[in-house]
């Protein structure tokens, strides 16, 4: 029996991967994504959507950092990990899923705790820094490094039905410390060490997706940068509040040094 000639124009299994986004920013934008390198701190609730959408969009190099192992209690939101991954390093488990999703990009996993001593070495040549963390102490370390080295810093945090995100750009608007000058009490801010850290998976999905959207816009020069705008999501009332953040002339991180 004669088989009808295939009309599929796909030459390889990966042809056409970006067809639905090319009309938005063209081959030039796609090349910018391919040439971009993104450091994602956290392979958990926020890291899952951010890393997934950046990998799917074709960001050429992703470095995924997490020092924790997958626990059963992570699985309601950290969808990079499966039941069978419980006990594995999150960074490795996450990187494996991203590579399976898009074999055309480079994904590196780093199973380490971010410290003042290793931050430069771990971020290496990555141009963009993503905060998908769960504690203020490491956020401040990462945000200060971003200011010091002139890198954009994409912040997000979630708890319960609430979440927030803000994008901080070098030489353009405030920095993270202008927005949050006071360090949180370490015992309160280290959510991962609280006995129960309540979070709905969809909250992390919404905030992480918005974070990924801003990063894709930044890389491809699409739309408008949300300079100095802190977005606060309340999932119970389905509302977004936007707080305008001014650059603080007294900021010890971006102004006084
Ligand atoms: Zn500042």
């Amino acid at each position: 029996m004669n088989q009808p000639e295939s009309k599929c124009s796909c030459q390889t299994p990966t042809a056409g991967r970006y067809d639905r986004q090319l009309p938005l920013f063209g081959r030039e934008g796609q090349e910018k994504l391919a040439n971009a390198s993104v450091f994602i701190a956290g392979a958990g609730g926020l890291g899952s959507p951010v890393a997934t959408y950046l990998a799917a969009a074709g960001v050429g190099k992703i470095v995924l950092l997490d020092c924790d192992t997958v626990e059963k209690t992570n699985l309601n939101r950290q969808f990079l990990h499966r039941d069978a991954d419980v006990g594995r390093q999150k960074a490795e488990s996450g990187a494996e899923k991203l590579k399976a999703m898009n074999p055309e990009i480079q994904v590196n996993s780093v199973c380490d705790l971010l410290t003042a001593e290793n931050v430069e070495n771990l971020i290496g040549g990555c141009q963009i820094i993503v905060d998908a963390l769960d504690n203020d102490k490491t956020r401040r370390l990462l945000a200060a490094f971003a200011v010091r080295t002139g890198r954009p810093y994409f912040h997000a945090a979630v708890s319960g039905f609430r979440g927030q995100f803000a994008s901080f750009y070098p030489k353009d608007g405030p920095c993270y410390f202008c927005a949050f000058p006071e360090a949180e009490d370490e015992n309160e801010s280290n959510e991962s060490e609280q006995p129960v850290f309540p979070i709905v998976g969809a909250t992390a999905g919404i905030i992480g997706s918005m974070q990924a959207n801003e990063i894709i816009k930044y890389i491809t020069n699409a739309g408008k940068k949300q300079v100095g705008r802190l977005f606060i999501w309340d999932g119970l009332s389905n509302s977004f509040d936007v707080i305008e953040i001014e650059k603080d002339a007294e900021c010890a991180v971006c102004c006084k040094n």
Side-chain angles (χ1 to χ4, degrees):
M1 186 177 160
N2 288 339
Q3 292 289 329
E5 199 176 324
S6 171
K7 285 187 179 160
C8 177
S9 61
C10 304
Q11 295 303 307
T12 69
T14 55
R17 179 185 296 273
Y18 307 118
D19 281 1
R20 297 298 179 99
Q21 62 192 48
L22 283 171
L24 301 171
F25 36 72
R27 300 230 166 256
E28 194 189 335
Q30 195 61 50
E31 272 172 31
K32 284 178 181 162
L33 286 167
N35 292 326
S37 52
V38 179
F39 180 86
I40 302 176
L46 286 165
S48 290
V50 175
T52 295
Y53 282 122
L54 295 184
V59 166
K61 181 181 175 184
I62 292 174
V63 176
L64 190 62
L65 171 134
D66 207 301
C67 64
D68 287 335
T69 53
V70 180
E71 294 176 23
K72 195 99 172 173
T73 58
N74 301 149
L75 300 179
N76 79 323
R77 63 201 183 279
Q78 303 186 13
F79 59 78
L80 275 178
H81 317 297
R82 312 281 185 264
D83 202 78
D85 295 318
V86 171
R88 294 183 65 198
Q89 287 287 343
K90 280 188 192 178
E92 284 175 7
S93 161
E96 183 184 283
K97 311 302 187 311
L98 298 175
K99 282 180 205 164
M101 175 189 291
N102 190 348
E104 296 173 13
I105 63 167
Q106 182 188 342
V107 185
N108 298 347
S109 61
V110 181
C111 309
D112 211 342
L113 186 69
L114 208 61
T115 66
E117 287 71 38
N118 68 14
V119 62
E120 186 163 11
N121 192 33
L122 293 185
I123 291 177
C126 285
Q127 306 147 342
I128 293 168
I129 298 176
V130 180
D131 159 14
L133 292 160
D134 62 0
N135 72 89
D136 186 61
K137 188 181 167 192
T138 317
R139 273 192 185 109
R140 286 175 182 276
L141 178 70
L142 208 56
F145 180 81
V147 173
R148 210 161 60 235
T149 59
R151 288 164 159 94
Y153 173 69
F154 294 89
H155 158 71
V158 287
S159 180
F161 282 99
R162 291 173 64 83
Q164 65 183 39
F165 78 94
S167 311
F168 299 101
Y169 302 95
K171 297 177 191 146
D172 196 3
C175 79
Y176 179 81
F177 296 84
C178 297
F180 306 101
E182 302 291 331
E184 283 178 24
D185 184 297
E186 222 172 287
N187 294 325
E188 278 182 25
S189 71
N190 195 347
E191 291 153 342
S192 61
E193 285 183 6
Q194 288 182 17
V196 177
F197 163 38
I199 174 75
V200 174
T203 306
I206 290 163
I207 299 300
S209 299
M210 302 219 53
Q211 206 179 11
N213 186 59
E214 287 306 310
I215 296 164
I216 290 168
K217 280 166 58 189
Y218 172 75
I219 295 171
T220 60
N221 274 332
K224 197 177 164 202
K225 285 197 285 185
Q226 302 295 310
V227 177
R229 307 189 85 201
L230 174 66
F231 294 82
I232 299 177
W233 163 252
D234 181 343
L236 289 177
S237 61
N238 279 29
S239 63
F240 257 115
D241 286 332
V242 183
I243 296 175
E244 304 289 341
I245 308 159
E246 298 290 331
K247 193 173 182 79
D248 178 5
E250 297 297 308
C251 176
V253 178
C254 73
C255 284
K256 293 239 156 162
N257 289 327

